[in-house]
């Protein structure tokens, strides 16, 4: 236990050391940005200064916070549905190969169709705008999970499969004790991609729904601010979207590390 | 009375791609035998072993493997060329697998798992993960896993081919000791004349294209062997004899080309 504790704190220390450089660079860039906007007297409806953006963020927090919540809700519900449905369908498809052969081509067609081109249709067909947004975000997040998990479930070592056969393992035992653990690195790779895509899907769908909808998401705020030429507020909404994206990236990476760090090459730090 | 545990009668295996991997192979393996299958790459050794284990259906012929006399989880252990461990599971959980598949929970299986690990000298590594072990240690885990069900028959497919010479000799001695202690019947696949002569009381030499039995050589020396056998005159003679037979099958092969 003592060793795992010390590796954790050592891990945090190296992580902090790794974060210091990009954070420092960011601060320097912000200072340069602020200085040049002030020095050249750039009008704030062209490029607002960081301070002005921060002020807009604080002043409009009531509206922007609600919008953030709305976008977050669509993103995470979509991601949750993508994970549960994606993994379940992947298991079904790999248990019955004829199902995989007949269904997968259609899944690929849906996957390669750009979501922007489907979004208007979905919004027209589905009455409830929130549900429509959810479907769009889900559509893009679903396929990486599905295809990666299928790949993972089929990637179990052949000798291990033979070993399970020798000991008369049932289909269920093979799934739970062999195929699912073997699929983890692939599934988690899919999760990292889908986390980002769910946000993109939600934002794109909000753009398409635009002012016509009851839209209260962050993308809607960006459109609205654009029409009203409230550029600092536009930047504030943009920053909230970026931070959400970064948070999703960090959380999915962390989940992946939690599950894989004991055994998988991708999560191992080579000891020196 | 000698009891035949494995009997192959006129067994052939043709893969769908047309390769005749094994042709008309007949072999009787008695209780307590340590049989090596020796032959060049591609002569069907692994195929034969997998058919004995029931992992591959035969194309023609018959294989009979004796049913266990007492009710045990599994009468047959299999050790692959690679350690074939689950990388996501600890050493303990890897050895647990055969018992787990038979419905034993961790606690019920615990004593047998620890006993198996002690026998291969890995009792201190229960909680380690495969990546933390050397190649030789991984192979020991694989052997512990094969022994944990107390099988009568142990099938090993070039288990030590990827290891260095010293580790290999040490594991050879371990296998001999375990085979003798547990009265195991072993079928051991190898490329190495030296290994086959050292370990077994019968060396079955196989020839390639198509895979078939070329000779069945009895190594009539006291068994189990120990290190002194490696340096004895007898050992050299037996190795020369088996080498000569192996070479003659290779020559036949060259003419085929
Ligand atoms: N699943 C398979 N499908 C088609 N051909 C196969 C298959 N497995 C083995 N073979 C062929 O059968 C022949 C015998 O293969 P096998 O693996 O039994 O040889 P081996 O004696 O174990 O060789 P090695 O010492 O290299 O392991 C080879 O020609 C091989 O290409
Ligand atoms: Mg082989």
């Amino acid at each position: 236990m003592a060793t795992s504790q010390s590796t954790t704190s050592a891990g945090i220390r190296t992580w902090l050391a790794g974060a210091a450089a990009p954070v420092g660079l960011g601060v320097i860039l912000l200072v340069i940005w602020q200085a040049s906007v002030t020095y050249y007297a750039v009008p704030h409806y062209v490029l607002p200064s960081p301070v002005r953006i921060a002020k807009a963020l604080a002043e409009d927090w009531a509206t922007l916070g609600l919008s953030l919540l709305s976008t977050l809700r669509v993103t995470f519900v979509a991601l949750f549905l993508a994970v549960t449905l994606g993994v379940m369908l992947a298991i079904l498809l790999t248990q019955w190969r004829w199902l995989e052969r007949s269904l997968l081509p259609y899944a690929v067609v849906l996957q390669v169709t750009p979501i922007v081109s489907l979004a208007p249709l979905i919004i027209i067909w589905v009455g409830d705008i929130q549900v429509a947004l959810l479907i769009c975000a889900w559509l893009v997040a679903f396929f990486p999970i599905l295809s990666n998990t299928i790949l993972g479930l089929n990637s179990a070592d052949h000798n291990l499969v033979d070993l399970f056969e020798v000991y008369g393992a049932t289909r269920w035992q093979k799934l739970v004790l062999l195929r699912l653990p073997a699929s983890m690195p692939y599934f988690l790779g899919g999760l990292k991609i889908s986390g980002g895509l769910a946000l993109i899907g939600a934002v794109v769908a909000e753009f398409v729904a635009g002012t016509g909808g009851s839209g209260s998401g962050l993308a809607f705020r960006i459109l609205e601010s654009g029409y009203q030429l409230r550029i600092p507020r536009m930047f504030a909404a943009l920053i909230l979207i970026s931070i959400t994206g970064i948070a999703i990236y960090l959380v999915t990476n962390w989940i992946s590390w939690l599950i894989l760090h004991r055994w998988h090459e991708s999560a191992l730090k080579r000891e020196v | 009375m000698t009891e035949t545990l494995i009997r192959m009668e006129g067994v052939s295996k043709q893969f769908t791609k047309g390769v005749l991997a094994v042709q008309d192979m007949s072999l009787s393996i008695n209780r307590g035998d340590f049989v090596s299958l020796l032959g060049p790459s591609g002569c069907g050794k692994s195929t034969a072993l997998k058919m004995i284990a029931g992992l591959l259906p035969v194309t023609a012929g018959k294989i009979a493997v004796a049913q266990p006399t007492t009710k045990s989880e599994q009468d047959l252990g299999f050790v692959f060329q690679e350690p074939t461990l689950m990388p996501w599971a600890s050493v303990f959980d890897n050895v647990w697998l055969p018992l787990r598949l038979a419905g034993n929970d961790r606690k019920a299986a615990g004593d047998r798992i620890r006993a198996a690990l002690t026998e291969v000298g890995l009792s201190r590594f229960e909680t380690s993960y495969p990546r933390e072990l050397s190649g030789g240690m991984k192979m020991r885990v694989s052997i512990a896993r094969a022994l944990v069900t107390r099988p009568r028959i142990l099938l090993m497919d070039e288990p030590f081919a990827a290891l260095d010479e010293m580790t290999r000799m040490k594991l050879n001695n371990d296998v001999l000791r375990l085979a003798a202690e547990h009265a195991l019947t072993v079928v051991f696949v190898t490329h190495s004349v030296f290994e086959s002569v050292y370990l077994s009381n019968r060396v079955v030499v196989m020839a390639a294209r198509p895979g078939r039995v070329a000779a069945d050589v009895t190594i009539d020396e006291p068994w189990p062997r120990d290190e002194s056998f490696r340096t004895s005159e007898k050992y050299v003679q037996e190795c020369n004899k088996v080498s000569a037979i192996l070479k003659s099958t290779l020559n036949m092969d060259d003419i085929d080309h």
Side-chain angles (χ1 to χ4, degrees):
Chain A
M1 276 300 100
T3 46
S4 92
Q5 202 113 49
S6 69
T7 36
T8 314
S9 69
I12 290 170
R13 231 176 299 132
T14 38
W15 187 83
L16 282 178
V23 168
L25 181 65
V27 171
I28 292 172
L29 286 179
L30 281 180
V31 170
I32 294 175
W33 178 357
Q34 180 74 37
S36 354
V37 167
T38 316
Y39 182 78
Y40 294 108
V42 182
H44 62 75
Y45 52 84
V46 175
L47 180 65
S49 70
V51 170
R52 204 176 260 276
I53 294 171
K55 243 165 67 192
L57 190 57
E59 277 164 13
D60 291 339
W61 179 246
T63 344
L64 287 176
L66 279 179
S67 300
L68 173 65
L69 219 57
S70 161
T71 301
L72 281 182
R73 195 171 52 229
V74 172
T75 303
F76 281 103
V77 174
L79 187 58
F80 174 77
L81 290 178
V83 168
T84 44
L85 294 176
V87 170
M88 271 174 1
L89 191 61
I91 290 172
L92 286 182
L93 293 190
T94 47
Q95 293 296 305
W96 290 282
R97 283 304 170 81
W98 57 269
L99 206 61
E100 181 178 344
R101 272 198 304 276
S102 44
L103 267 182
L104 213 54
Y106 295 99
V108 171
V109 169
L110 267 182
Q111 185 183 11
V112 297
T113 308
I115 183 66
V116 211
S117 57
L118 281 178
L121 257 184
I122 294 170
I123 287 163
I124 291 170
W125 282 344
V126 181
D128 186 332
I129 193 80
Q130 288 300 314
V131 176
L133 296 181
L134 195 60
I135 292 175
C136 291
W138 173 78
L139 262 180
V140 282
F142 175 67
F143 292 104
I145 301 264
L146 177 70
S147 51
N148 271 35
T149 309
I150 287 178
L151 188 64
L153 288 170
N154 288 333
S155 77
D157 180 61
H158 281 289
N159 283 334
L160 269 176
V161 176
D162 275 350
L163 188 82
F164 274 66
E165 297 270 332
V166 166
Y167 291 111
T170 61
R171 205 179 247 251
W172 175 251
Q173 285 175 322
K174 268 188 251 172
L175 175 66
V176 172
L177 297 178
L178 178 59
R179 294 196 187 279
L180 278 177
S183 76
M184 268 303 135
Y186 297 83
F187 161 74
L188 291 164
L191 180 68
K192 286 186 206 174
I193 298 170
S194 290
L197 284 182
L199 179 63
I200 294 176
V203 168
V204 165
E206 282 174 14
F207 270 126
V208 175
T211 46
S214 67
S216 58
L218 285 172
F220 172 74
R221 294 296 161 216
I222 289 180
L223 282 177
E224 186 192 52
S225 310
Y227 295 138
Q228 301 168 352
L229 271 184
R230 295 167 71 177
I231 307 302
R233 180 171 160 163
M234 193 170 171
F235 268 87
L238 186 61
I239 282 169
L240 287 179
I241 292 177
S242 295
I243 290 175
T244 308
I246 294 168
I248 291 173
Y249 174 84
L250 290 177
V251 168
T252 50
N253 268 300
W254 177 67
I255 291 173
S256 170
W257 180 85
L258 273 187
I259 296 178
L260 298 183
H261 76 284
R262 287 305 301 259
W263 65 275
H264 197 256
E265 291 298 332
S266 70
L268 295 182
K269 288 244 162 38
R270 289 191 62 90
E271 309 223 352
V272 282
Chain B
M1 193 192 89
T2 54
E3 180 194 357
T4 303
L5 285 190
I6 301 167
R7 175 173 282 126
M8 301 175 76
E9 278 168 30
V11 171
S12 295
K13 177 69 192 180
Q14 174 129 37
F15 285 104
T16 37
K17 280 169 209 146
V19 192
L20 189 57
V22 171
Q23 188 185 48
D24 195 22
M25 183 170 179
S26 294
L27 195 64
S28 284
I29 295 173
N30 295 329
R31 153 158 258 164
D33 268 356
F34 198 122
V35 177
S36 285
L37 296 184
L38 176 72
S41 189
C43 71
K45 306 183 295 291
S46 298
T47 305
L49 209 61
K50 282 189 176 167
M51 288 192 292
I52 295 173
L55 287 170
L56 275 178
V58 301
T59 312
K62 234 176 62 192
I63 298 183
V65 178
Q67 291 302 306
T69 42
T70 56
K71 197 201 162 312
S72 69
E73 271 81 11
Q74 178 64 30
D75 201 31
L76 190 143
F78 202 110
V79 177
F80 295 86
Q81 174 167 354
E82 305 294 326
T84 314
L85 304 176
M86 299 178 289
W88 55 82
S90 66
V91 165
F92 186 93
D93 286 355
N94 266 291
V95 177
W96 177 26
L97 182 75
L99 298 175
R100 189 179 191 180
L101 291 174
N104 296 282
D105 63 24
R106 248 164 176 285
K107 232 167 121 202
D111 288 342
R112 276 188 286 175
I113 296 168
R114 276 183 284 274
L117 281 173
T118 307
E119 270 178 326
V120 297
L122 285 179
S123 43
R124 290 191 301 114
F125 294 90
E126 270 181 24
T127 56
S128 300
Y129 279 71
R131 69 171 178 92
E132 297 160 343
L133 305 178
S134 70
M137 288 157 89
K138 282 185 216 167
M139 215 58 232
R140 287 167 192 274
V141 177
S142 185
I143 293 171
R145 179 180 59 194
L147 293 180
V148 78
T149 58
R150 298 260 169 268
R152 286 191 301 172
I153 300 168
L154 184 61
L155 307 180
M156 307 180 90
D157 190 356
E158 297 187 43
F160 311 137
L163 302 177
D164 65 276
E165 196 65 20
M166 289 306 293
T167 313
R168 182 181 224 194
M169 286 184 180
K170 195 163 173 336
L171 284 170
N172 279 343
N173 290 333
D174 288 345
V175 166
L176 276 178
R177 174 177 54 82
L178 291 168
E181 270 172 22
H182 298 288
L184 291 171
T185 304
V186 184
V187 184
F188 190 99
V189 167
T190 178
H191 276 132
S192 158
V193 173
F194 305 111
E195 193 172 41
S196 67
V197 171
Y198 183 64
L199 290 175
S200 30
N201 51 21
R202 260 172 81 195
V203 176
V204 174
V205 182
M206 291 183 70
R209 274 170 300 256
R212 62 201 182 275
V213 175
D216 192 335
V217 187
T218 303
I219 310 292
D220 205 1
E221 297 297 327
W223 192 94
R225 321 250 159 76
D226 57 30
E227 282 297 329
S228 63
F229 182 58
R230 277 195 204 280
T231 49
S232 70
E233 190 72 22
K234 288 270 172 52
Y235 180 59
V236 179
Q237 281 168 10
E238 296 287 0
C239 285
N240 284 339
K241 189 168 90 187
V242 173
S243 281
I245 295 169
L246 189 62
K247 225 171 255 160
S248 72
T249 69
L250 291 181
N251 288 341
M252 280 167 15
D253 214 51
D254 289 342
I255 297 162
D256 282 356
H257 280 269

